[in-house]
Short mmCIF file of all heavy atoms in Angstrom, two decimals:
data_model
loop_
_atom_site.label_atom_id
_atom_site.label_comp_id
_atom_site.label_asym_id
_atom_site.label_seq_id
_atom_site.Cartn_x
_atom_site.Cartn_y
_atom_site.Cartn_z
N SER A 138 -58.07 17.93 72.11
CA SER A 138 -58.34 17.38 70.71
C SER A 138 -58.00 15.92 70.55
O SER A 138 -57.12 15.42 71.42
CB SER A 138 -57.57 18.18 69.62
OG SER A 138 -56.17 18.06 69.96
N LYS A 139 -58.66 15.24 69.63
CA LYS A 139 -58.40 13.90 69.46
C LYS A 139 -57.92 13.59 68.01
O LYS A 139 -58.50 14.21 67.08
CB LYS A 139 -59.64 12.99 69.68
CG LYS A 139 -60.06 13.10 71.21
CD LYS A 139 -61.35 12.28 71.39
CE LYS A 139 -61.87 12.22 72.80
NZ LYS A 139 -63.09 11.42 73.02
N LYS A 140 -57.02 12.70 67.83
CA LYS A 140 -56.49 12.47 66.44
C LYS A 140 -55.85 11.09 66.38
O LYS A 140 -55.35 10.57 67.42
CB LYS A 140 -55.45 13.53 66.08
CG LYS A 140 -55.02 13.51 64.64
CD LYS A 140 -54.07 14.61 64.32
CE LYS A 140 -53.67 14.65 62.86
NZ LYS A 140 -52.69 15.67 62.50
N ALA A 141 -55.90 10.53 65.17
CA ALA A 141 -55.28 9.19 64.87
C ALA A 141 -54.59 9.38 63.54
O ALA A 141 -55.31 9.68 62.48
CB ALA A 141 -56.25 8.08 64.90
N ASN A 142 -53.28 9.25 63.42
CA ASN A 142 -52.60 9.35 62.15
C ASN A 142 -52.41 7.91 61.45
O ASN A 142 -51.91 7.06 62.01
CB ASN A 142 -51.18 9.88 62.38
CG ASN A 142 -51.25 11.30 62.92
OD1 ASN A 142 -51.98 12.11 62.43
ND2 ASN A 142 -50.34 11.70 63.87
N LEU A 143 -53.03 7.93 60.31
CA LEU A 143 -53.02 6.68 59.49
C LEU A 143 -52.26 6.80 58.19
O LEU A 143 -52.44 5.98 57.27
CB LEU A 143 -54.38 6.14 59.23
CG LEU A 143 -55.07 5.59 60.48
CD1 LEU A 143 -56.19 6.57 60.96
CD2 LEU A 143 -55.78 4.19 60.15
N GLU A 144 -51.43 7.87 58.08
CA GLU A 144 -50.68 8.02 56.86
C GLU A 144 -49.80 6.92 56.43
O GLU A 144 -49.63 6.53 55.27
CB GLU A 144 -49.81 9.35 56.89
CG GLU A 144 -50.70 10.62 56.97
CD GLU A 144 -51.03 11.08 58.34
OE1 GLU A 144 -50.76 10.23 59.28
OE2 GLU A 144 -51.57 12.18 58.53
N VAL A 145 -49.12 6.35 57.50
CA VAL A 145 -48.18 5.21 57.23
C VAL A 145 -49.00 4.00 56.78
O VAL A 145 -48.58 3.35 55.77
CB VAL A 145 -47.45 4.84 58.52
CG1 VAL A 145 -46.59 3.57 58.36
CG2 VAL A 145 -46.56 5.96 59.02
N GLU A 146 -50.08 3.66 57.32
CA GLU A 146 -50.93 2.52 56.93
C GLU A 146 -51.34 2.74 55.53
O GLU A 146 -51.30 1.83 54.64
CB GLU A 146 -52.10 2.34 57.85
CG GLU A 146 -51.77 1.81 59.21
CD GLU A 146 -51.30 2.89 60.20
OE1 GLU A 146 -51.07 4.02 59.79
OE2 GLU A 146 -51.09 2.59 61.39
N LEU A 147 -51.84 3.91 55.18
CA LEU A 147 -52.34 4.27 53.82
C LEU A 147 -51.19 4.10 52.80
O LEU A 147 -51.37 3.54 51.75
CB LEU A 147 -52.91 5.59 53.88
CG LEU A 147 -53.96 5.92 52.73
CD1 LEU A 147 -54.80 7.12 53.13
CD2 LEU A 147 -53.22 6.26 51.43
N ALA A 148 -50.06 4.68 53.10
CA ALA A 148 -48.91 4.64 52.18
C ALA A 148 -48.41 3.23 51.95
O ALA A 148 -48.10 2.90 50.78
CB ALA A 148 -47.72 5.53 52.74
N VAL A 149 -48.35 2.39 53.06
CA VAL A 149 -47.91 1.03 52.89
C VAL A 149 -48.78 0.20 52.03
O VAL A 149 -48.43 -0.49 51.15
CB VAL A 149 -47.73 0.42 54.25
CG1 VAL A 149 -47.57 -1.10 54.07
CG2 VAL A 149 -46.55 0.99 55.02
N ASP A 150 -50.19 0.47 52.21
CA ASP A 150 -51.14 -0.25 51.38
C ASP A 150 -51.05 0.22 50.00
O ASP A 150 -51.22 -0.67 49.01
CB ASP A 150 -52.56 0.00 51.95
CG ASP A 150 -52.82 -0.76 53.24
OD1 ASP A 150 -52.02 -1.66 53.58
OD2 ASP A 150 -53.77 -0.45 53.98
N MET A 151 -50.79 1.45 49.69
CA MET A 151 -50.72 1.95 48.35
C MET A 151 -49.57 1.30 47.63
O MET A 151 -49.62 0.87 46.50
CB MET A 151 -50.51 3.45 48.41
CG MET A 151 -50.68 4.10 46.98
SD MET A 151 -50.23 5.87 47.01
CE MET A 151 -51.15 6.50 48.38
N MET A 152 -48.46 1.20 48.32
CA MET A 152 -47.22 0.58 47.68
C MET A 152 -47.45 -0.92 47.55
O MET A 152 -46.97 -1.41 46.47
CB MET A 152 -45.98 0.84 48.62
CG MET A 152 -45.63 2.30 48.75
SD MET A 152 -44.96 2.92 47.17
CE MET A 152 -43.46 1.99 47.09
N THR A 153 -48.13 -1.62 48.46
CA THR A 153 -48.30 -3.02 48.39
C THR A 153 -49.24 -3.36 47.23
O THR A 153 -49.02 -4.42 46.56
CB THR A 153 -48.92 -3.53 49.70
OG1 THR A 153 -48.07 -3.20 50.80
CG2 THR A 153 -49.13 -5.07 49.67
N LEU A 154 -50.24 -2.59 46.97
CA LEU A 154 -51.27 -2.87 45.90
C LEU A 154 -50.84 -2.41 44.59
O LEU A 154 -51.46 -2.80 43.57
CB LEU A 154 -52.64 -2.27 46.42
CG LEU A 154 -53.30 -2.91 47.49
CD1 LEU A 154 -54.35 -2.03 48.09
CD2 LEU A 154 -53.90 -4.26 47.15
N ALA A 155 -49.83 -1.62 44.46
CA ALA A 155 -49.44 -0.94 43.22
C ALA A 155 -49.11 -1.99 42.11
O ALA A 155 -49.58 -1.80 40.90
CB ALA A 155 -48.15 -0.08 43.38
N PRO A 156 -48.51 -3.13 42.43
CA PRO A 156 -48.24 -4.11 41.28
C PRO A 156 -49.45 -4.82 40.78
O PRO A 156 -49.41 -5.42 39.68
CB PRO A 156 -47.30 -5.17 42.00
CG PRO A 156 -46.79 -4.40 43.14
CD PRO A 156 -47.87 -3.59 43.58
N TYR A 157 -50.63 -4.67 41.51
CA TYR A 157 -51.85 -5.39 41.16
C TYR A 157 -52.96 -4.45 40.50
O TYR A 157 -54.01 -4.95 40.16
CB TYR A 157 -52.43 -6.12 42.28
CG TYR A 157 -51.39 -7.01 43.00
CD1 TYR A 157 -50.80 -6.55 44.17
CD2 TYR A 157 -50.98 -8.26 42.50
CE1 TYR A 157 -49.84 -7.29 44.84
CE2 TYR A 157 -50.07 -8.93 43.08
CZ TYR A 157 -49.44 -8.49 44.35
OH TYR A 157 -48.59 -9.25 44.95
N CYS A 158 -52.66 -3.17 40.33
CA CYS A 158 -53.69 -2.29 39.85
C CYS A 158 -53.14 -1.25 38.79
O CYS A 158 -51.99 -1.29 38.62
CB CYS A 158 -54.35 -1.48 41.02
SG CYS A 158 -53.19 -0.29 41.79
N ASP A 159 -54.04 -0.66 38.10
CA ASP A 159 -53.70 0.31 37.06
C ASP A 159 -53.97 1.71 37.50
O ASP A 159 -53.23 2.63 37.07
CB ASP A 159 -54.50 0.02 35.81
CG ASP A 159 -54.33 -1.49 35.36
OD1 ASP A 159 -53.25 -1.78 34.95
OD2 ASP A 159 -55.33 -2.18 35.39
N THR A 160 -54.91 1.93 38.38
CA THR A 160 -55.25 3.28 38.94
C THR A 160 -55.49 3.21 40.35
O THR A 160 -56.17 2.30 40.88
CB THR A 160 -56.62 3.76 38.21
OG1 THR A 160 -56.35 3.68 36.79
CG2 THR A 160 -56.90 5.13 38.60
#
Side-chain angles (χ1 to χ4, degrees):
S138 62
K139 296 180 179 180
K140 189 177 181 182
N142 294 320
L143 287 105
E144 290 89 351
V145 172
E146 287 83 352
L147 201 158
V149 169
D150 287 345
M151 192 189 308
M152 294 292 295
T153 303
L154 290 164
Y157 307 102
C158 67
D159 304 296
T160 303

